[in-house]
Amino acid sequence: MLRNRVKELRARYGFTQSELGKKVDVTRQTIAFIEKGEFSPSITLALKLAQALQVEVGDLFWLEEE
Amino acid sequence: MKQDFRMTYPLWNMAFILILAVMAVGFTSSFVNVTKTDSSLSIEAQAFEGFVLFAALIAYLVLITIYLIALGSYNRKNPQRKISAFSIRPPEYMEQDEGMTFITRKAVQKVYTFITWSLPFLAVIVMLAPVPKLLIIWGILAIAFGQNLIYYLEMRRQLKGATE
């Protein structure tokens, strides 16, 4: 299962879901789905999110064995 | 998102389907005689069935007028994401990015599963039982109503969960 730190890092930078969504060119809902782990983003979107939150992709997303 | 016309589009479909179901009562009644030629269509009906048919036709025209006004209003407010009234592709798909495409796909999968089972089920019933024409039409409309309901509820559930 894909885990992530999007919510935590977004809060650290003080972004709302809408603001982060605008930075990476997706809707607020898509950010919400990613944060909840309901949706695994594409590599492109994962890279954009990592860039916007100033971390490596591996530090933002990781696989957790079920 | 609540004001998004694409979200409420299945509700419009459901309303149109309900009116069609009432209209079918008039059209399938033995008291209604429909004569069609190359250039004209004449409908003769008895009092009650005629009233039902007439009322349903008026309701349909009223609803389609309201629908077109609402659609025009949405298009004026969303010039980048206009919806065509005559598009073959259903406008309720919300695919402006990969996350929205993902939830649209989930809703469509549920609808597809429903159609996969309900259409053959209806076909078997019609084959095995002497079902009147009206009930066959109602069966088809019930499936159409069901698919819109499933789609709407699934999209609403997904988007409700995406609160900030």
mmCIF file of all heavy atoms in Angstrom, chain B residues 109-126:
data_model
loop_
_atom_site.group_PDB
_atom_site.id
_atom_site.type_symbol
_atom_site.label_atom_id
_atom_site.label_comp_id
_atom_site.label_asym_id
_atom_site.label_seq_id
_atom_site.Cartn_x
_atom_site.Cartn_y
_atom_site.Cartn_z
ATOM 1 N N GLN B 109 -17.443 2.068 -13.247
ATOM 2 C CA GLN B 109 -17.329 0.623 -13.033
ATOM 3 C C GLN B 109 -18.553 0.077 -12.298
ATOM 4 O O GLN B 109 -19.059 -1.001 -12.614
ATOM 5 C CB GLN B 109 -16.059 0.304 -12.240
ATOM 6 C CG GLN B 109 -14.800 0.308 -13.099
ATOM 7 C CD GLN B 109 -13.545 0.053 -12.290
ATOM 8 O OE1 GLN B 109 -13.529 0.224 -11.074
ATOM 9 N NE2 GLN B 109 -12.488 -0.340 -12.959
ATOM 10 N N LYS B 110 -19.032 0.833 -11.317
ATOM 11 C CA LYS B 110 -20.222 0.397 -10.583
ATOM 12 C C LYS B 110 -21.434 0.351 -11.508
ATOM 13 O O LYS B 110 -22.246 -0.564 -11.452
ATOM 14 C CB LYS B 110 -20.495 1.344 -9.406
ATOM 15 C CG LYS B 110 -19.592 1.090 -8.231
ATOM 16 C CD LYS B 110 -20.149 1.673 -6.961
ATOM 17 C CE LYS B 110 -19.316 1.195 -5.783
ATOM 18 N NZ LYS B 110 -19.789 1.731 -4.510
ATOM 19 N N VAL B 111 -21.554 1.373 -12.339
ATOM 20 C CA VAL B 111 -22.673 1.420 -13.290
ATOM 21 C C VAL B 111 -22.581 0.242 -14.262
ATOM 22 O O VAL B 111 -23.574 -0.436 -14.536
ATOM 23 C CB VAL B 111 -22.681 2.761 -14.060
ATOM 24 C CG1 VAL B 111 -23.658 2.725 -15.213
ATOM 25 C CG2 VAL B 111 -23.031 3.907 -13.123
ATOM 26 N N TYR B 112 -21.373 -0.019 -14.756
ATOM 27 C CA TYR B 112 -21.175 -1.103 -15.722
ATOM 28 C C TYR B 112 -21.559 -2.447 -15.107
ATOM 29 O O TYR B 112 -22.206 -3.277 -15.743
ATOM 30 C CB TYR B 112 -19.710 -1.113 -16.182
ATOM 31 C CG TYR B 112 -19.413 -2.148 -17.243
ATOM 32 C CD1 TYR B 112 -19.709 -1.897 -18.576
ATOM 33 C CD2 TYR B 112 -18.863 -3.381 -16.905
ATOM 34 C CE1 TYR B 112 -19.456 -2.856 -19.543
ATOM 35 C CE2 TYR B 112 -18.624 -4.341 -17.870
ATOM 36 C CZ TYR B 112 -18.908 -4.079 -19.185
ATOM 37 O OH TYR B 112 -18.676 -5.015 -20.142
ATOM 38 N N THR B 113 -21.175 -2.641 -13.858
ATOM 39 C CA THR B 113 -21.523 -3.886 -13.167
ATOM 40 C C THR B 113 -23.041 -4.024 -13.056
ATOM 41 O O THR B 113 -23.598 -5.103 -13.294
ATOM 42 C CB THR B 113 -20.888 -3.892 -11.753
ATOM 43 O OG1 THR B 113 -19.492 -3.649 -11.887
ATOM 44 C CG2 THR B 113 -21.112 -5.206 -11.045
ATOM 45 N N PHE B 114 -23.696 -2.939 -12.725
ATOM 46 C CA PHE B 114 -25.159 -2.937 -12.611
ATOM 47 C C PHE B 114 -25.822 -3.282 -13.947
ATOM 48 O O PHE B 114 -26.725 -4.135 -14.020
ATOM 49 C CB PHE B 114 -25.624 -1.557 -12.119
ATOM 50 C CG PHE B 114 -27.107 -1.340 -12.187
ATOM 51 C CD1 PHE B 114 -27.964 -2.004 -11.319
ATOM 52 C CD2 PHE B 114 -27.650 -0.470 -13.122
ATOM 53 C CE1 PHE B 114 -29.342 -1.798 -11.392
ATOM 54 C CE2 PHE B 114 -29.022 -0.261 -13.195
ATOM 55 C CZ PHE B 114 -29.869 -0.932 -12.330
ATOM 56 N N ILE B 115 -25.341 -2.647 -15.022
ATOM 57 C CA ILE B 115 -25.913 -2.886 -16.353
ATOM 58 C C ILE B 115 -25.664 -4.337 -16.790
ATOM 59 O O ILE B 115 -26.539 -4.988 -17.370
ATOM 60 C CB ILE B 115 -25.280 -1.918 -17.403
ATOM 61 C CG1 ILE B 115 -25.618 -0.461 -17.070
ATOM 62 C CG2 ILE B 115 -25.721 -2.266 -18.819
ATOM 63 C CD1 ILE B 115 -27.002 -0.027 -17.385
ATOM 64 N N THR B 116 -24.460 -4.836 -16.497
ATOM 65 C CA THR B 116 -24.095 -6.204 -16.880
ATOM 66 C C THR B 116 -25.087 -7.229 -16.333
ATOM 67 O O THR B 116 -25.402 -8.216 -16.991
ATOM 68 C CB THR B 116 -22.665 -6.518 -16.375
ATOM 69 O OG1 THR B 116 -21.766 -5.614 -17.001
ATOM 70 C CG2 THR B 116 -22.243 -7.939 -16.689
ATOM 71 N N TRP B 117 -25.574 -6.972 -15.117
ATOM 72 C CA TRP B 117 -26.514 -7.914 -14.502
ATOM 73 C C TRP B 117 -27.969 -7.586 -14.801
ATOM 74 O O TRP B 117 -28.783 -8.484 -15.021
ATOM 75 C CB TRP B 117 -26.302 -7.933 -12.980
ATOM 76 C CG TRP B 117 -25.044 -8.632 -12.621
ATOM 77 C CD1 TRP B 117 -23.842 -8.067 -12.333
ATOM 78 C CD2 TRP B 117 -24.838 -10.049 -12.543
ATOM 79 N NE1 TRP B 117 -22.898 -9.027 -12.081
ATOM 80 C CE2 TRP B 117 -23.488 -10.248 -12.197
ATOM 81 C CE3 TRP B 117 -25.658 -11.160 -12.736
ATOM 82 C CZ2 TRP B 117 -22.941 -11.522 -12.040
ATOM 83 C CZ3 TRP B 117 -25.117 -12.420 -12.578
ATOM 84 C CH2 TRP B 117 -23.775 -12.598 -12.234
ATOM 85 N N SER B 118 -28.323 -6.326 -14.795
ATOM 86 C CA SER B 118 -29.745 -5.967 -14.895
ATOM 87 C C SER B 118 -30.331 -6.161 -16.296
ATOM 88 O O SER B 118 -31.474 -6.598 -16.428
ATOM 89 C CB SER B 118 -29.964 -4.521 -14.426
ATOM 90 O OG SER B 118 -29.195 -3.640 -15.199
ATOM 91 N N LEU B 119 -29.561 -5.880 -17.337
ATOM 92 C CA LEU B 119 -30.115 -6.028 -18.696
ATOM 93 C C LEU B 119 -30.428 -7.483 -19.048
ATOM 94 O O LEU B 119 -31.552 -7.779 -19.491
ATOM 95 C CB LEU B 119 -29.168 -5.408 -19.734
ATOM 96 C CG LEU B 119 -29.316 -3.903 -19.976
ATOM 97 C CD1 LEU B 119 -28.354 -3.438 -21.060
ATOM 98 C CD2 LEU B 119 -30.739 -3.512 -20.348
ATOM 99 N N PRO B 120 -29.492 -8.428 -18.845
ATOM 100 C CA PRO B 120 -29.847 -9.831 -19.113
ATOM 101 C C PRO B 120 -30.994 -10.312 -18.218
ATOM 102 O O PRO B 120 -31.842 -11.086 -18.659
ATOM 103 C CB PRO B 120 -28.557 -10.604 -18.793
ATOM 104 C CG PRO B 120 -27.479 -9.601 -18.889
ATOM 105 C CD PRO B 120 -28.084 -8.309 -18.453
ATOM 106 N N PHE B 121 -31.024 -9.841 -16.975
ATOM 107 C CA PHE B 121 -32.100 -10.215 -16.052
ATOM 108 C C PHE B 121 -33.454 -9.769 -16.612
ATOM 109 O O PHE B 121 -34.422 -10.542 -16.639
ATOM 110 C CB PHE B 121 -31.835 -9.555 -14.687
ATOM 111 C CG PHE B 121 -32.858 -9.890 -13.641
ATOM 112 C CD1 PHE B 121 -32.907 -11.156 -13.072
ATOM 113 C CD2 PHE B 121 -33.764 -8.935 -13.216
ATOM 114 C CE1 PHE B 121 -33.856 -11.459 -12.107
ATOM 115 C CE2 PHE B 121 -34.720 -9.231 -12.256
ATOM 116 C CZ PHE B 121 -34.761 -10.491 -11.697
ATOM 117 N N LEU B 122 -33.504 -8.550 -17.098
ATOM 118 C CA LEU B 122 -34.750 -8.038 -17.690
ATOM 119 C C LEU B 122 -35.108 -8.836 -18.949
ATOM 120 O O LEU B 122 -36.279 -9.193 -19.152
ATOM 121 C CB LEU B 122 -34.594 -6.547 -18.039
ATOM 122 C CG LEU B 122 -35.808 -5.888 -18.687
ATOM 123 C CD1 LEU B 122 -36.981 -5.809 -17.713
ATOM 124 C CD2 LEU B 122 -35.471 -4.492 -19.193
ATOM 125 N N ALA B 123 -34.103 -9.163 -19.750
ATOM 126 C CA ALA B 123 -34.340 -9.926 -20.980
ATOM 127 C C ALA B 123 -34.945 -11.295 -20.670
ATOM 128 O O ALA B 123 -35.887 -11.743 -21.336
ATOM 129 C CB ALA B 123 -33.043 -10.081 -21.760
ATOM 130 N N VAL B 124 -34.422 -11.938 -19.628
ATOM 131 C CA VAL B 124 -34.931 -13.274 -19.246
ATOM 132 C C VAL B 124 -36.384 -13.164 -18.769
ATOM 133 O O VAL B 124 -37.237 -13.984 -19.149
ATOM 134 C CB VAL B 124 -34.031 -13.894 -18.144
ATOM 135 C CG1 VAL B 124 -34.685 -15.127 -17.539
ATOM 136 C CG2 VAL B 124 -32.679 -14.253 -18.725
ATOM 137 N N ILE B 125 -36.666 -12.161 -17.976
ATOM 138 C CA ILE B 125 -38.045 -11.982 -17.490
ATOM 139 C C ILE B 125 -39.001 -11.789 -18.669
ATOM 140 O O ILE B 125 -40.069 -12.407 -18.728
ATOM 141 C CB ILE B 125 -38.120 -10.776 -16.524
ATOM 142 C CG1 ILE B 125 -37.427 -11.127 -15.210
ATOM 143 C CG2 ILE B 125 -39.575 -10.375 -16.252
ATOM 144 C CD1 ILE B 125 -37.361 -9.989 -14.220
ATOM 145 N N VAL B 126 -38.604 -10.957 -19.608
ATOM 146 C CA VAL B 126 -39.472 -10.677 -20.772
ATOM 147 C C VAL B 126 -39.656 -11.936 -21.616
ATOM 148 O O VAL B 126 -40.743 -12.190 -22.148
ATOM 149 C CB VAL B 126 -38.867 -9.522 -21.616
ATOM 150 C CG1 VAL B 126 -39.625 -9.344 -22.922
ATOM 151 C CG2 VAL B 126 -38.907 -8.223 -20.827
#
